Structures are given as structure tokens and as C-alpha cells.
């Protein structure tokens, strides 16, 4: 048990370090890349992402259920609770705000 | 002297230039949008549920209106990066109102892949407790075996956590690592029949060794339909400092699975599952034999539980009524250590029919049958019939 515990703590530290390194070394890539490849691969719309991501745990709320201000709070809450990527939540939030 | 005058002039004029800059109220007030939303926002949310339970075991039926649980949630968004969440839970336990603090934590988004949380939070040990247990999300009125009161999976903890997600250009990876106050072991001095059980709800740790845990989740497909996750939770010490159990450690792990997809012309299929395993180091406990003399014993303290649930919503049906229906089935089991005082095995099947009034309000009708051997109430078969109404707001 002691060794498992030690391995685990090391593993957790490693994950944290990798996360820090990766997130600090790639500050501006995702969006640039996303537009770069757009001609080859259709970029998903916020509406489609909403239909896919927001149905995973509970039924997806409709954009009309909340106003823009509330969507910002909920967006941040769900981003963290559901571990969504920044790209997902940015696009979904934009869609929800545009369609309510 | 000339120089001095020039200097004074410079300072004098320079000062008015600054001054104007700092006191330029006119441009400020004419250009701002008067009703721009504030960056700090406060929301009260939450959920409640109520219903009728009728459970038959050993030929005796107990039926009562239950629930009336009310759980308000406070969300305070301080800025685009800083959020505070807290949930209170009000329930009636034998005519007494019990108030619980489900969670209360602050979260700060450090960058696009990392968020730090501190306080009391739901633990990402598998997915059931963190993501699926609220009554308006859980498709059945009951929790699967292995969660809740006699559960083996930890549900919340007080500590710090780092979490986040990575976009792998289609597939997505998410992670969480945390450290919390560790669990305590029940040494049997108060309830001899529970010797060796872990107790997770600790406001204060009973030793200096914290629990460490984490979860890694992978969504291998671009449509986010599937997620597989692996979680661990471990601690070096579960006993109180200087007690006989101080150096007893514990290691828990879980696998979780989720698949949710809308099939055109058919509807939504939703599959969830989780396997939990808990292993506590061997230790010696004391029990009283039939003459009242203390007797020492030890056992292999390993338990596990599993559940899987399938639900189907005919969302593409022509009929408005059918569209709102959901059919659910769930299997779960729980195996306690064979040689513990609380040894036992149970197996449960639950079937439900739900009617969704809105995306967060549902009427659930369910039938559940549990078979157990050993355990707290000596085993047997318990059949339950439930009608519940859950609402999120």
C-alpha cells in the first residue's frame, strides 16, 4: 500500500507538471490551428457542440432558458464541473447567447 | 534661473496634462453603455424532489411519502475566471430537519487547461457522485449499490484540486488531481459490527497524512459520445495518530464509462457504468465472543461494487407524449469483505419509466428488487416501488 501511495502521489505530481508545461507552452495554438484546417475539416458549430456536449450528463437546456448574463455564470460552472475544453465552452456559450 | 523657470513651466503644464487625463469624466460618462452587465453575478439555483416509496421485505410492506429534500445552490461569479459554488441540503430525517453542506468551494481558471479549486467539493472518484447523483439528473429515484450511506466510493472531500481539459483535435482528455483530508477507519470500539469500514466525511483529519486522488477521462471520439475514466484515491494512514491503526493505509480505484448518442430516426441512447474497488491494509480488530471475552481477528478488507445503466428516449417519435418518455434499466451489485462482521453481498435490478416535463423536471416511476446475503439486516429480498418527482431550478 505504501508503494502504491507513493507511486500515486508521483503520478499526480507528474500530471500536474505536464499540464502546466503543456498549457504554458501552447498559449495561442488552438484557434489558429482550428481556422487553418477549416478548409479540410468542417469546424463544428457551437450549436452542434451544444447538442453533443450538454446532453452527456443531463438533458441539454434550451438557449431560451436563461439570459446572457446567466449563461456566462452557467458556462463557467459547467466548464469546470464537466471539465469541458476552452474551445467547447467558448463556442457553446456564444451559440447559447445568440439563440436565446 | 532660466533653467528653473523652464522646469517649473514643464512641471506646471505637464501637471495639467496629467490632470486632464485623470479627470476626464466627460468622455467616460458619455461613451459607456449604461446597462452593460456587471461582471460579478449571483445565481440561486438548486433542486428538490419528493415522492412515494413502498418497500416490501420479508413479506412486510412499508410505504411512505418521502423526500421533500430541498437543495439550494449558490453560484457567485466574481469575474470571468473566479467562481464560488455552495450547496446546502435540507432533509427530514425522522421528523428532524437535517442541514448538510454538500459542497462549498472557490474555483479559479488559471489558463485554458487548468483550474484550481479549494474548499469542500464533490470528488471526481468515478462519475456518479460528481456528475450524476442530483435527483433531476439521476434517471432512477435511488442510487446504485455502493454509493450513499453504506457506500464504498468517497463522495466529497475538503482540500485542493487542480483540473482541466485538453483538446486533442477531436478526441478530448480531461484530468483532475486532488488532495483532501483523509478517511478514518472505524475501529469497532463504538460499533463492533462495522470494524474496518472507512468513513470519508471528515471536517478535521485525524492524522497528518492526507488522501491523494485523481481521475483521467478520455473522450476518444470527436462527437463526445463516449467517455472512459479511471480514478484512484489513496492514503497512507486511516487511523488516528498514535493509535493502533495509525499506519493502516487504503487504496481505492474506479473505472467509469459513459455513452450518450442521438440516433436519427430512433432516439437517444444513454449508457453509464462504474466499478469501484476499495482495499484497506490488514489490521487486527477485537470482537466479543459469546461469553463476552474479547477475541482478536483480522480479515482481507477488500470490497467492490459495480453498476451499469441503460436508458432510451424516443426523441424522434411522432407523438409528443412518447418524445418525453424515457425507459431505464439498471443493474448494480456490492460485495463487502467476506470475513468482516459486515460481510455481505447484494445484487439489485431497477427498472423505470420517466416522463420529462422539461429538461430539468421529471416524474419517475420505478420498480427495484434487491437480493442480499448477510449484511446489516441479515439479507433477503427487498422489492420497492417508487413514484418520484424531481425538479431542478
Amino acid at each position: 500500500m505504501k508503494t502504491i501511495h507513493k507511486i500515486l502521489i508521483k503520478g499526480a505530481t507528474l500530471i500536474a507538471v505536464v499540464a502546466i508545461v503543456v498549457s504554458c507552452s501552447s498559449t495561442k495554438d488552438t484557434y489558429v490551428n482550428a481556422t487553418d484546417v477549416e478548409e479540410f475539416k468542417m469546424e463544428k458549430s457551437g450549436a452542434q457542440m451544444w447538442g453533443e456536449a450538454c446532453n452527456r450528463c443531463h438533458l441539454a437546456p434550451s438557449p431560451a432558458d436563461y439570459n446572457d448574463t446567466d449563461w456566462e455564470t452557467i458556462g463557467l460552472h459547467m466548464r469546470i464541473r464537466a471539465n469541458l475544453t476552452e474551445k467547447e465552452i467558448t463556442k457553446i456559450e456564444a451559440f447559447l447567447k445568440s439563440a436565446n | 534661473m532660466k533653467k528653473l523657470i523652464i522646469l517649473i513651466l514643464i512641471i506646471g503644464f505637464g501637471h495639467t496634462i496629467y490632470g486632464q487625463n485623470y479627470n476626464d469624466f466627460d468622455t467616460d460618462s458619455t461613451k459607456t453603455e449604461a446597462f452593460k452587465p456587471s461582471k460579478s453575478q449571483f445565481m440561486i439555483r438548486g433542486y428538490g424532489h419528493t415522492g412515494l416509496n413502498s418497500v416490501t421485505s420479508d413479506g412486510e410492506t412499508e410505504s411512505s411519502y418521502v423526500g421533500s429534500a430541498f437543495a439550494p445552490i449558490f453560484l457567485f461569479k466574481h469575474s470571468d475566471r473566479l467562481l464560488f459554488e455552495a450547496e446546502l441540503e435540507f432533509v427530514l430525517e425522522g421528523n428532524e430537519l437535517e442541514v448538510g453542506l454538500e459542497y462549498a468551494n472557490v474555483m479559479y481558471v488559471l489558463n485554458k487547461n487548468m483550474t484550481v479549486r479549494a474548499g469542500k467539493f464533490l470528488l471526481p472518484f468515478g462519475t456518479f457522485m460528481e456528475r450524476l447523483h442530483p435527483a433531476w439528473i439521476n434517471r432512477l429515484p435511488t442510487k446504485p449499490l455502493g454509493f450513499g450511506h453504506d457506500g464504498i466510493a468517497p463522495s466529497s472531500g475538503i482540500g485542493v484540486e487542480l483540473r482541466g481539459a485538453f483538446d486533442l483535435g477531436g478526441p478530448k482528455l480531461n484530468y483532475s488531481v486532488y488532495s483532501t483530508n483523509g478517511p478514518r477507519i472505524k475501529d469497532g470500539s463504538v460499533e463492533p459490527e462495522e470494524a474496518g469500514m472507512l468513513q470519508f466525511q471528515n471536517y478535521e483529519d485525524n492524522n497528518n497524512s492526507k488522501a491523494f486522488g485523481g481521475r483521467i477521462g478520455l473522450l476518444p471520439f470527436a462527437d463526445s459520445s463516449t467517455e472512459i475514466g479511471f480514478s484512484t484515491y489513496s492514503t497512507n494512514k486511516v487511523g488516528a495518530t498514535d493509535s493502533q491503526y495509525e499506519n493502516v493505509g487504503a487504496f481505492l480505484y474506479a473505472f467509469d464509462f459513459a455513452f450518450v448518442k442521438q440516433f436519427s430516426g430512433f432516439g437517444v441512447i444513454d449508457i453509464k457504468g462504474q466499478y469501484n474497488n476499495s482495499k484497506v491494509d490488514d489490521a487486527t480488530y477485537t470482537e466479543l465472543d459469546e461469553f463476552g471475552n474479547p477475541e482478536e481477528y483480522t480479515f482481507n478488507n477488500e470490497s467492490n461494487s459495480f453498476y451499469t445503466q441503460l436508458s432510451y428516449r424516443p426523441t424522434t417519435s411522432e407523438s409528443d407524449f412518447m418524445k418525453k418518455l424515457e425507459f431505464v434499466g439498471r443493474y448494480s451489485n456490492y460485495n463487502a469483505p467476506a470475513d468482516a462482521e459486515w460481510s455481505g453481498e447484494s445484487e439489485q435490478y431497477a427498472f423505470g419509466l420517466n416522463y420529462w416535463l422539461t429538461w430539468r423536471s421529471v416524474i419517475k416511476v420505478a420498480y427495484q428488487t434487491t437480493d442480499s446475503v448477510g449484511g446489516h439486516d441479515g439479507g433477503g429480498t427487498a422489492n420497492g416501488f417508487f413514484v418520484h418527482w424531481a425538479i431542478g431550478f
Side-chain angles (χ1 to χ4, degrees):
Chain A
M1 207 64 67
K2 299 283 173 296
T3 35
I4 295 179
H5 186 71
K6 273 189 197 139
I7 293 170
L8 261 167
I9 295 177
K10 283 183 188 144
T13 322
L14 191 71
I15 291 177
V17 170
V18 169
I20 293 169
V21 170
V22 175
S23 56
C24 295
S25 62
S26 60
T27 34
K28 58 179 164 63
D29 60 333
T30 31
Y31 290 107
V32 182
N33 286 344
T35 40
D36 277 353
V37 294
E38 210 155 15
E39 286 139 53
F40 307 102
K41 197 172 83 185
M42 272 286 282
E43 179 74 355
K44 271 193 192 180
S45 68
Q48 192 186 348
M49 284 187 170
W50 159 77
E52 290 172 355
C54 306
N55 254 324
R56 276 166 46 205
C57 302
H58 46 72
L59 308 199
S62 123
D65 281 323
Y66 296 95
N67 64 24
D68 286 7
T69 321
D70 287 348
W71 278 130
E72 284 173 13
T73 308
I74 293 163
L76 185 58
H77 192 211
M78 284 303 113
R79 171 189 181 166
I80 300 172
R81 176 68 71 89
N83 260 345
L84 300 173
T85 63
E86 186 188 48
K87 188 164 142 193
E88 278 178 302
I89 201 64
T90 318
K91 289 201 143 196
I92 294 171
E93 210 178 291
F95 160 72
L96 291 167
K97 285 174 164 183
S98 71
N100 61 358
Chain B
M1 191 63 190
K2 247 189 195 168
K3 275 187 191 159
L4 190 66
I5 291 172
I6 291 172
L7 195 70
I8 290 173
L9 281 179
I10 289 176
I11 292 174
F13 280 104
H15 167 81
T16 47
I17 292 167
Y18 285 160
Q20 272 181 348
N21 268 345
Y22 281 106
N23 297 306
D24 204 356
F25 295 122
D26 285 350
T27 45
D28 265 10
S29 58
T30 48
K31 292 257 171 72
T32 46
E33 305 152 49
F35 299 108
K36 219 172 116 185
S38 152
K39 271 205 155 77
S40 30
Q41 292 152 19
F42 183 65
M43 267 180 103
I44 296 193
R45 285 207 42 262
Y47 59 95
H49 68 97
T50 181
L52 174 72
N53 284 6
S54 168
V55 179
T56 310
S57 76
D58 295 332
E60 274 181 46
T61 304
E62 258 181 59
S63 151
S64 51
Y65 289 104
V66 293
S68 46
F70 165 56
I73 295 173
F74 304 89
L75 294 177
F76 179 61
K77 177 166 159 288
H78 206 282
S79 75
D80 290 343
R81 289 169 175 268
L82 189 61
L83 180 73
F84 173 80
E85 63 164 10
E87 177 181 336
L88 293 175
E89 200 167 53
F90 295 90
V91 279
L92 286 173
E93 289 279 343
N95 279 340
E96 297 271 324
L97 177 66
E98 282 202 357
V99 184
L101 180 66
E102 274 269 286
Y103 55 72
N105 59 77
V106 275
M107 311 170 236
Y108 186 77
V109 178
L110 294 169
N111 59 43
K112 73 181 205 297
N113 308 113
M114 294 166 75
T115 297
V116 57
R117 289 208 289 179
K120 180 170 183 184
F121 47 86
L122 296 173
L123 293 180
F125 183 78
T127 49
F128 187 79
M129 284 319 287
E130 190 193 30
R131 302 175 171 185
L132 307 170
H133 88 278
W136 64 277
I137 300 182
N138 187 0
R139 303 298 204 266
L140 285 160
T142 55
K143 292 189 177 92
L145 293 174
F147 297 94
H149 275 313
D150 283 340
I152 54 171
S155 56
S156 63
I158 300 178
V160 289
E161 182 202 38
L162 186 71
R163 60 163 50 207
F166 291 95
D167 188 342
L168 310 177
K172 286 158 282 270
L173 184 80
N174 59 71
Y175 71 92
S176 150
V177 286
Y178 57 84
S179 167
T180 60
N181 286 342
R184 289 177 191 202
I185 195 161
K186 293 191 181 175
D187 61 8
S189 53
V190 187
E191 291 156 308
E193 70 284 359
E194 298 198 340
M197 268 192 191
L198 290 182
Q199 205 180 7
F200 293 99
Q201 301 295 343
N202 294 316
Y203 179 65
E204 274 177 9
D205 210 346
N206 59 345
N207 53 50
N208 289 328
S209 168
K210 302 294 165 229
F212 289 89
R215 175 176 180 275
I216 281 219
L218 176 70
L219 290 94
F221 308 116
D223 66 0
S224 299
S225 61
T226 312
E227 179 172 3
I228 43 174
F230 175 63
S231 319
T232 59
Y233 178 99
S234 99
T235 176
N236 253 338
K237 297 180 180 181
V238 291
T241 306
D242 295 334
S243 79
Q244 172 193 355
Y245 302 99
E246 177 175 4
N247 289 321
V248 175
F251 176 70
L252 290 82
Y253 66 87
F255 287 101
D256 59 80
F257 176 80
F259 174 82
V260 180
K261 196 170 166 79
Q262 163 112 36
F263 293 93
S264 55
F266 181 65
V268 178
I269 290 282
D270 185 325
I271 305 172
K272 302 266 157 68
Q274 182 170 335
Y275 171 82
N276 304 314
N277 186 294
S278 162
K279 169 90 178 90
V280 180
D281 288 342
D282 290 353
T284 307
Y285 307 93
T286 316
E287 65 181 349
L288 298 180
D289 66 11
E290 64 241 63
F291 309 108
N293 301 319
E295 203 175 54
E296 293 197 333
Y297 71 104
T298 184
F299 60 94
N300 177 21
N301 196 348
E302 182 165 1
S303 11
N304 62 58
S305 77
F306 171 73
Y307 91 91
T308 181
Q309 173 180 295
L310 167 72
S311 66
Y312 165 61
R313 281 188 298 133
T315 47
T316 52
S317 159
E318 309 255 293
S319 135
D320 260 354
F321 177 77
M322 284 296 285
K323 261 187 201 164
K324 294 180 174 169
L325 282 187
E326 180 172 47
F327 304 87
V328 204
R330 183 184 73 198
Y331 167 81
S332 61
N333 67 27
Y334 168 58
N335 300 307
D339 299 322
E341 289 280 297
W342 38 287
S343 71
E345 288 174 12
S346 9
E347 222 179 15
Q348 182 184 81
Y349 290 89
F351 303 96
L353 183 64
N354 299 337
Y355 184 77
W356 288 93
L357 298 162
T358 70
W359 66 278
R360 56 189 161 168
S361 175
V362 57
I363 294 171
K364 312 184 220 183
V365 180
Y367 174 77
Q368 171 179 303
T369 170
T370 318
D371 267 315
S372 43
V373 187
H376 269 311
D377 28 59
T381 302
N383 299 321
F385 180 73
F386 308 85
V387 183
H388 277 220
W389 182 4
I391 180 162
F393 48 87

